[in-house]
Amino acid sequence: MANGQWYPPEWPDRIRALTDGRLTPVVPRSAATVMLLKDTADGPVVHMLRRRASMAFAGGAYAYPGGGVDPRDDDLRLGWAGPTRAEWAERLGVDERRAQAIVCAAVRETYEEAGVLLAGPDPESVVGDTTGEDWETDRAAVLARETSFAEFLERRGLVLRSDLLAAWARWITPEFESRRYDTWFFVAALPAGQRTRNASTEADRTVWIRPEEAAAGYDKGDLLMMPPTIATLRGLTAYDSAARALAAAPGQDLTPVLAQGRLEGTSIVLSWPGHEEFTLHVPSAGAPAPAAADADAVAECPAAADATDAVAGRPAADPAAENLAAADPAADNPAAGGPA
C-alpha cells in the first residue's frame, strides 16, 4: 500500500456475496460530518480526530467530527436562523424536514465531539467560550440523548445558525457494507472565542492541520483515511482562507458518490466514480461470507452508530502520524486535557 488508503478486510467476500445475490443492501442512514476550519499565518487548518486504535472498526483512522441523524433532529421547535429549511432542502436534494435533520445533526455532532457550538442568541451573533462546567453538563446530556438538541437550544435561549456552515459533498457507504450511511459533508469556520477540545469518546487525539499537510501524510502512507476523507481534504487545498472555502461551497457538486465493486477475473475491482485515484484491484481470496452472518450484522447495527464509520479507514498504530500531530503547535493535547 503506497499511500494511506485502506479498506475493511471483509469487503472482498461481501462484494462477492452481493454479486451473486446472497447479500441484500441495507438502506443507508442519514448522517453529517463537518470540516471545521480556522485561519492561521500559514493558511487555513482543519480540525481532525483520530479514532482510538482499540476500536473494533476504523481504529487509528483520521476523520472529521460527525455522526448519524438523531430521530429528534427534525423537531420543528428547533430555533433556526440563516437559510430557510426550504433553501436547505433544495441544496441537499431532500425534503424540508430531512434537510433540517441533516443540518441539525451537523451542528449537534460538532458540539458533541469538538465542543464547538454553531448557535447564538439571535441570527446575528454566536456564543463565545463553551468550555465551562455548565456547558459541559449540557453537552453530556445531549450526547447521552437525555435531552434533544432543540430542547438544549431552547433552554439556553439560542438559535441554530445554519448560515455558519455550507454543504460541500455527499458520499454514500458502499452497498456491500453492513452499516451504511448517506453522509453530507459540511464546511464551517471556528467561531471567534470558541475552542475545540477532544470531547469524543471515540478519539484518542485531535489535531488542527493544514489540508495540504494532511494530504501529504496520506500520500506517504503516514495518515490513513478512506476515500471520502482524503477527497474532501484535497478539495480544501485550493483555498487560502476559511472564508474563501465557505464562499466556494455553493459551487460544490453534491451528486452522491457511491463506491462500486465488481468481479474481474480473479480480482475484485473497487472504484469510486469521479475519483479514479482510489480504484483498487483486490485479490479475490477467501470463502464467501454466509448470508446469515450478513443478516446478523445488520440486525445488530447500533442505532446511534457514528458516521465516522462511514468515512474512516482502519490502520495500525501510526508513530509517524503521532509525531506529525505533536509537531503542530495548534494541535489539541488530549492527554493533558488541553484544548486548541
Side-chain angles (χ1 to χ4, degrees), residues 73-194:
D73 285 339
D74 66 356
D75 187 340
L76 294 178
R77 295 173 298 174
L78 178 73
W80 189 273
T84 66
R85 292 168 176 82
E87 290 173 314
W88 274 109
E90 182 177 0
R91 174 63 175 140
L92 301 180
V94 298
D95 62 53
E96 291 187 27
R97 194 142 191 174
R98 189 180 178 196
Q100 175 188 305
I102 293 164
V103 173
C104 181
V107 175
R108 175 181 52 74
E109 287 286 339
T110 303
Y111 183 51
E112 290 179 3
E113 298 197 346
V116 171
L117 183 58
L118 303 176
D122 57 63
E124 305 299 328
S125 60
V126 65
V127 296
D129 187 10
T130 61
T131 59
E133 289 186 11
D134 58 333
W135 285 106
E136 178 57 25
T137 298
D138 283 345
R139 190 195 67 80
V142 173
L143 178 63
R145 303 297 183 260
E146 295 170 359
T147 185
S148 72
F149 198 64
E151 292 166 342
F152 157 65
L153 292 182
E154 182 179 30
R155 188 174 63 78
R156 284 274 183 176
L158 302 174
V159 293
L160 183 151
R161 289 284 307 276
S162 75
D163 57 316
L164 296 182
L165 72 168
W168 189 268
R170 181 182 179 185
W171 289 66
I172 301 178
T173 311
E175 292 183 330
F176 43 82
E177 262 287 12
S178 60
R179 295 200 291 182
R180 301 186 63 214
Y181 299 90
D182 186 351
T183 305
W184 278 262
F185 286 71
F186 293 85
V187 63
L190 179 70
Q194 293 196 36

